[in-house]
Structures are given as C-alpha cells and as structure tokens.
Amino acid sequence: MYRNEEPQEKSSNNRRNFIKDSILASLAISLGTEIVYAKNMPPGLELIGLNSSPLNTFPGKSNALTVLNDRPVNMETPAHLLNDALTPNELFFVRNNGLVPSQINAETWTLTIEGESARKAKSYTLNELKTKFENITYPLTLECGGNGRKEFSPPAKGNQWTTGAVGCAKWTGVRLKDVLEDVGIKSNAVYIGYYGADLHLSGAPDKDAISRGVPISKAMEEESMIAWAMNDEDLPLLNGYPLRLVFGGYPASCSGKWLEKIVIRNKVHDGQKMNGSAYRIPCNPVAPGASVEDKDMCIIERMPVKSLISFPKTGAIITQGQKLPVAGHAWTSSSNITKVELSIDFGTSWQNAYVSKSTNRYAWQHFEATVQFPAKGYYEVWARATDNEGNTQAMLIPGWNPKGYLNNACHRIAVKVS
Ligand SMILES: Nc1nc2c(c(=O)[nH]1)N[C@H]1C(S)=C(S)[C@@H](COP(=O)(O)O)O[C@H]1N2
Ligand SMILES: [Mo]
C-alpha cells in the first residue's frame, strides 16, 4: 500500500513545487528582479510592489503603458503614444491569458507541426526556419478582439480595454503557408491551431492558457506569418519571444505567442478559448444585456474597420483662431482604407482627412488634417474611417455583445478652445 502511494505522493509534491516555481518565475518577470525571500512568502500573498510603478518594470516595456492587470499581464497603449507610423516595441500592448514562460532558450527552441490533416509530423529549430524558408517582412496591425470593451453598456466582463489594445509593427519571419506546405497538407484540412509555451494561470504545467487558430484559407494568405522579429529586433518577451504567429486582420488572439506547436486540423480547432463564448459574438444581433446561448455564438473572424486619433492627446487646449493639426491611423481587414473623415460637431458634418497610401493589406494607414474651430468652447473631434468595401465605423457604440468584442466606434478626443 504504502509503497504504491509513495511515488504518487512524490509526484504531487513535484507538481506543487513546479506550480509554485512557475508562479514565482512569472512574478519575478513582472517585477524585473528576483524575490530574494521567495521561499518565505505566505501562499497567496499579493506583492504590493506589483501595483506600484516603478517597481513593476515589465521587461522591454515602457512605464507609460497602462497596466490593466499584472496576473496575467495585460497592458495597453495610451492613444497619444500610438502616433508613430510603426508602434515601437516598448509601446506595443500586451495581452496574456496565462503566465509568461520563464526559461526560454532560442538556440534549442523548436516548432512542431502535426495534426490529423498534416501529412507527417515535423519539427524545425528557429535557425532552420530562418534559413530554410524565404524570409518576409510586413507591417501588420494587431488588435485584440476586446479592444474598446470598456465602452459597452451594460458592461462586459474581461479586461476593460479603452482604445489601446492595438499596434502596428513591422514583423519579420516566414510564410506560415511555406512551412505548412513543407510538412504537407492533406486535402481535408480546414483549420490550424497553435500551442504556446505559456502556462495556465494556476501555474499548471499543462500548456492550456490559450490555443486558438484560423481557417486554413487564412493560414495560407501571403501575409500570414511565423515571426521572430518585430521592428528589426527580437520579439519582446511579453510579445512572444522567440517565435509567434502574426495574422493581420483577424483578432490578435489568433496570433499565438511563444509558439511551440501548430496543428493542421480536419475540423474547426477546438483548443482552449475556441469554444463556449470566448472570442465569439452572437451569430445574429441581440439587444444590449441579452443572454445568448453558446450555440448561438459564432467565432470572430475578420476584424472591423477602425481608426484612432493619436495626435493631439485628448484634453488639448488651444487658443481661438489657432488651427489644430489632427493625426492618426486607420485599419481594416479588407484591402485598404479609402477615406477618413473628422467631425467637430458630434457627427453632424464631416471633413475629409488626407490618408496615406496602403503599403500592404492589414497595415494601418495614416491620416492627417487641419481642423479649425468657429468659437471658444468645448469640442470633440471624432474620426471615422471607410474601407474599399464601403464598411465604415459606428459613430457611438456598435452592436452590443455579451463579451464586449469588436467595438469599432469612432474614436473621440476632447479639445478646448480658450
Ligand atoms: N501563447 C499565447 N498567445 C497569445 C496570447 C496568450 O495569452 N498566449 N494572447 C492572445 C491575445 S488574446 C492577444 S490580443 C494577442 C496579444 O498580442 P501581444 O501581447 O503581442 O500584443 O496575443 C494572443 N496570443
Ligand atoms: Mo485578445
């Protein structure tokens, strides 16, 4: 009896230690340093340093990001810090579902491709990916499906993103298509799914923090990539170092970080956060506050057209007669933005902004305009983008949905003319 139980005892102890170690490692990453007396920490103790800048210095990330949550780490970029054509790495938002992996060795990192619809299972080291396949570079916009959730009423649970769970970086990697084809795709393939090295929040060694994917048609697009660089540098740890997927135009939740495995599936991928109501919206519009059964929720695929005013910062004060330059970005999952309009009278009249040419689909385009105000007082500048398919933005709040996804309402900034 005793003999049979012993190994079990031991393994459950190991498991407990493993969980404790992973949580401690993850806390140390958030703090940017080791917790010296970690072994004395009472279980469940919340470290006060986590909520107090400048102690919560997330590696590679600016202190100017707004931290919504430190476990898991979620931080967004204030709108006025998104003014660059390409979002700098230290300003790029972070959305984690689990614990950041703590021991990463890029030299030995491997990506495995398998699944029912893969002709074989095959693994590649990072170096093999870099040398065996054509390298590609594209600016691509990543936006969390829940960006703008804070505006929904009644409120939706989850990270209360305002406008900053979006960024556009220049990604370098290889085409996902080229790698999938090197493995061999069976004709019955319909979806791909990813698995990353992050751990579930409990610290459980099962890698089930999140495992989402995209239809095979999306996976095969020219710009769908497995990336190791962001703006010509290694990916920041919090954005998936050393390897991640990047799918422009789809909810960023599809762009798996710390990428270890891709499965080619003969059915819609059923990994963690592919089911239930996660990353889904009602298949048909519902009244605000309605409860919707899981069976009536559909997976979010293409992201809606949207824009953001990145200059000036909301709350700008100018003097009467002064012209105000206004600038920002607009993006769509269609091919390009055709028009950005600005309004200073709550959407009654609109003026066209200049819009830069599209470099490639799924990269944001820039707009600028000069705005004049007729009298002293309070104004709001609203921006509204339209894409080549004629899709445009809701002026205030678009369709309410239980999880608060896809808020592409016009971005608004406040201006006072004094
Ligand atoms: N492995 C892994 N990949 C992940 C996530 C995660 O928690 N773990 N979060 C997803 C979600 S919900 C979003 S919005 C994007 C965020 O990418 P970023 O943190 O690089 O901005 O990563 C996606 N990929
Ligand atoms: Mo997300």
Side-chain angles (χ1 to χ4, degrees):
M1 250 333 240
Y2 176 77
R3 272 192 179 189
N4 280 342
E5 271 172 19
E6 200 194 1
Q8 263 185 19
E9 257 291 294
K10 214 170 151 196
S11 89
S12 96
N13 258 336
N14 279 345
R15 189 181 159 90
R16 218 172 298 132
N17 285 338
F18 179 85
I19 291 173
K20 203 175 157 207
D21 288 350
S22 355
I23 291 176
L24 286 172
S26 162
L27 289 174
I29 287 170
S30 300
L31 291 163
T33 189
E34 293 304 315
I35 305 161
V36 175
Y37 289 111
K39 71 175 186 1
N40 300 345
M41 265 173 71
L45 183 81
E46 295 278 340
L47 297 173
I48 51 171
L50 280 177
N51 297 318
S52 60
S53 188
L55 282 194
N56 54 348
T57 46
F58 297 89
K61 290 292 156 185
S62 161
N63 272 339
L65 294 180
T66 309
V67 180
L68 301 182
N69 196 346
D70 52 54
R71 208 170 128 210
V73 180
N74 287 299
M75 34 205 210
E76 69 170 321
T77 321
H80 69 282
L81 296 180
L82 284 171
N83 200 39
D84 300 271
L86 291 173
T87 311
N89 293 3
E90 76 263 18
L91 290 175
F92 207 96
F93 81 99
V94 174
R95 195 304 184 226
N96 288 342
N97 289 264
L99 300 178
V100 179
S102 50
Q103 249 114 42
I104 295 172
N105 183 348
E107 297 293 307
T108 56
W109 191 269
T110 56
L111 169 65
T112 301
I113 318 277
E114 55 183 46
E116 314 90 350
S117 295
R119 292 210 178 275
K120 55 181 175 293
K122 198 167 172 182
S123 296
Y124 305 87
T125 63
L126 202 50
N127 197 45
E128 281 167 340
L129 288 175
K130 288 182 181 176
T131 52
K132 197 172 156 131
F133 300 97
E134 185 191 338
N135 289 195
I136 55 169
T137 295
Y138 284 109
L140 298 168
T141 306
L142 279 190
E143 181 180 19
C144 176
N147 194 24
R149 176 177 290 130
K150 192 176 199 293
E151 300 298 321
F152 282 109
S153 170
K157 280 207 198 91
N159 284 301
Q160 296 298 297
W161 303 110
T162 64
T163 58
V166 65
C168 181
K170 192 178 76 171
W171 308 93
T172 298
V174 292
R175 278 181 210 95
L176 172 58
K177 171 177 185 282
D178 292 350
V179 179
L180 296 181
E181 281 175 346
D182 188 58
V183 172
I185 310 166
K186 289 189 190 164
S187 59
N188 65 355
V190 297
Y191 230 85
I192 66 101
Y194 70 76
Y195 291 89
D198 45 339
L199 304 176
H200 190 268
L201 265 193
S202 63
D206 325 296
K207 303 200 167 154
D208 64 350
I210 181 170
S211 171
R212 304 203 66 243
V214 297
I216 195 80
S217 56
K218 180 70 185 173
M220 301 301 277
E221 282 188 353
E222 161 68 25
E223 307 82 353
S224 294
M225 67 162 98
I226 303 174
W228 54 80
M230 190 175 172
N231 299 324
D232 301 318
E233 287 168 20
D234 284 348
L235 298 172
L237 174 63
L238 296 183
N239 299 103
Y241 177 82
L243 200 62
R244 75 174 301 168
L245 285 165
V246 181
F247 295 107
Y250 264 47
S253 54
C254 301
S255 296
K257 304 192 280 187
W258 308 291
L259 182 66
E260 286 188 317
K261 198 198 312 182
I262 293 174
V263 283
I264 311 178
R265 306 295 316 262
N266 62 7
K267 55 177 181 181
V268 174
H269 183 52
D270 50 3
Q272 189 68 245
K273 309 229 162 164
M274 281 303 296
N275 297 311
S277 59
Y279 303 102
R280 287 178 186 235
I281 51 168
C283 304
N284 297 302
V286 298
S291 68
V292 185
E293 285 183 56
D294 284 355
K295 70 169 181 37
D296 298 322
M297 299 283 273
C298 285
I299 298 172
I300 300 170
E301 294 190 340
R302 287 176 49 183
M303 291 290 284
V305 61
K306 201 162 165 180
S307 57
L308 182 89
I309 302 171
S310 51
F311 185 89
K313 184 179 175 181
T314 188
I317 302 176
I318 59 169
T319 52
Q320 199 178 4
Q322 197 183 339
K323 289 178 183 168
L324 182 69
V326 174
H329 317 285
W331 61 97
T332 174
S333 54
S334 174
S335 90
N336 63 293
I337 295 290
T338 49
K339 183 166 71 174
V340 175
E341 300 160 287
L342 301 177
S343 177
I344 59 165
D345 56 7
F346 300 113
T348 307
S349 66
W350 297 84
Q351 95 177 61
N352 279 331
Y354 159 82
V355 184
S356 74
K357 274 220 181 70
S358 153
T359 51
N360 53 266
R361 60 180 172 176
Y362 314 140
W364 67 21
Q365 287 164 252
H366 317 298
F367 67 84
E368 40 185 82
T370 305
V371 177
Q372 276 180 282
F373 301 88
K376 286 186 182 174
Y378 174 88
Y379 296 88
E380 289 187 6
V381 180
W382 295 8
R384 180 173 73 181
T386 304
D387 68 20
N388 63 302
E389 289 179 357
N391 304 307
T392 191
Q393 299 183 244
M395 269 201 271
L396 292 169
I397 300 297
W400 181 93
N401 60 90
K403 305 288 292 260
Y405 294 119
L406 307 189
N407 178 359
N408 70 333
C410 290
H411 183 216
R412 302 155 51 192
I413 61 158
V415 174
K416 186 165 135 187
V417 180
S418 62

